[in-house]
Amino acid sequence: MASRNNVTELIIASLFQDPEVQRVCFVVFLPVYLATVVGNGLIILTVSVSKSLQSPMYFFLSYLSLVEISYSSTVVPKFITDLLAKIKTISLEGCVAQIFFFHFFGVSEIFLLTVMACDRYVAICKPLHYTTIMSRPVCHLLVAGSWLGGFFHSMVQITVTVQLPFCGPNVIDHYFCDLHPLFKIACTDTSVEGVFVLVNSGLFAVFSFLLLVSSYIIILVNLRNHSAEGRRKALSTCASHIMVVLLFFGPAIFLYMRPSSTFTEDKLVAVFYTVITPTLNPIIYTLRNAEVKIAMKRLLGNKVNSRVE
């Protein structure tokens, strides 16, 4: 890659240009990122040690939390530290690596959300066969398939990116490295690559979203045959998942299914799904799930008691 480029270092334009605003953003976003790590980490710990949370649904939830931490950590730590830097730089290789892991964890999350929808479909529509269909080996295969799907998607994206020549300018009009901002500074026409990204990222997100919506429509239709209590519990679980799906897919579809632009709104939308959404997910799942709340209280209570003793 270096042999085809005069550019070895890129300058990141950041979210806002005013230093005072950047310092305010640092004060705001640092606690948000820490809440993402602590909140999702607490879910992982709770599921791993709580005997009451050993069903496939919580198994997938713990891996979703792991993906959320990893996904946010590919962008947010550098973004936060750059808020205090006068010149925000990243090497070209580092930029490509950030794109790879950003898409790797993002698409892995898409697959995991789809797997979780399938899990709810089996649990609600085929309850007598649930333990057989969603056995632990099957759950491990589904999680491994999610990671593998994210890996292949990112490899395709990077294969396109590393072939582009960069000879200047070297300023990325974004607060992190992504495909469209990088395409704008390439020393060649990237219209074909832009269409490829639209198909590989945008349409993939749309089709996955439609698949998820279809699965929940089927679930809602089947809930008519359940008791009132059964419908209430199923709807409570599904509502949390649907909220997470909307929060994740809405901004992603908005950015990848439209022509690239330099609007500040694009950056603000990106902030929502890279910084805010990973923080909201553990809140959504814990506030709407009584079993998780009880397990967390027990875990925290045991830790407090052990310290007192």
Side-chain angles (χ1 to χ4, degrees), residues 129-142:
H129 304 284
Y130 179 63
T131 55
T132 303
I133 296 174
M134 301 302 295
S135 64
R136 191 48 61 104
V138 170
C139 292
H140 281 105
L141 283 174
L142 290 172

Side-chain angles (χ1 to χ4, degrees), residues 34-108:
L34 294 177
T36 298
V37 175
V38 173
N40 284 288
L42 185 58
I43 287 179
I44 296 170
L45 180 62
T46 303
V47 172
S48 64
V49 303
S50 300
K51 295 181 179 179
S52 61
L53 302 180
Q54 297 304 308
S55 69
M57 178 178 72
Y58 299 114
F59 174 80
F60 295 132
L61 176 59
S62 65
Y63 273 96
L64 179 66
S65 295
L66 176 61
V67 170
E68 292 285 21
I69 293 174
S70 305
Y71 173 74
S72 182
S73 296
T74 61
V75 172
V76 181
K78 172 145 181 63
F79 166 51
I80 292 174
T81 54
D82 280 347
L83 289 170
L84 300 181
K86 291 184 178 180
I87 302 178
K88 307 158 191 16
T89 61
I90 186 171
S91 67
L92 187 58
E93 291 78 8
C95 182
V96 172
Q98 189 176 62
I99 292 173
F100 174 83
F101 286 108
F102 178 71
H103 284 266
F104 169 56
F105 291 119
V107 172
S108 296

Side-chain angles (χ1 to χ4, degrees), residues 26 30 49 53 71 91 103 114-115 123 157-158 186 205 214 217 223 250 257 263 287 301 303 305:
F26 175 85
L30 179 59
V49 303
L53 302 180
Y71 173 74
S91 67
H103 284 266
T114 306
V115 166
Q157 302 284 62
I158 293 304
S214 301
I217 290 174
L223 281 176
M257 285 300 294
F263 296 154
L287 290 181
K303 289 199 170 189
N305 291 335

Side-chain angles (χ1 to χ4, degrees), residues 173 184 260-267:
D173 187 22
K184 290 179 183 178
S260 59
S261 65
T262 57
F263 296 154
T264 303
E265 288 79 0
D266 285 8
K267 299 179 186 178

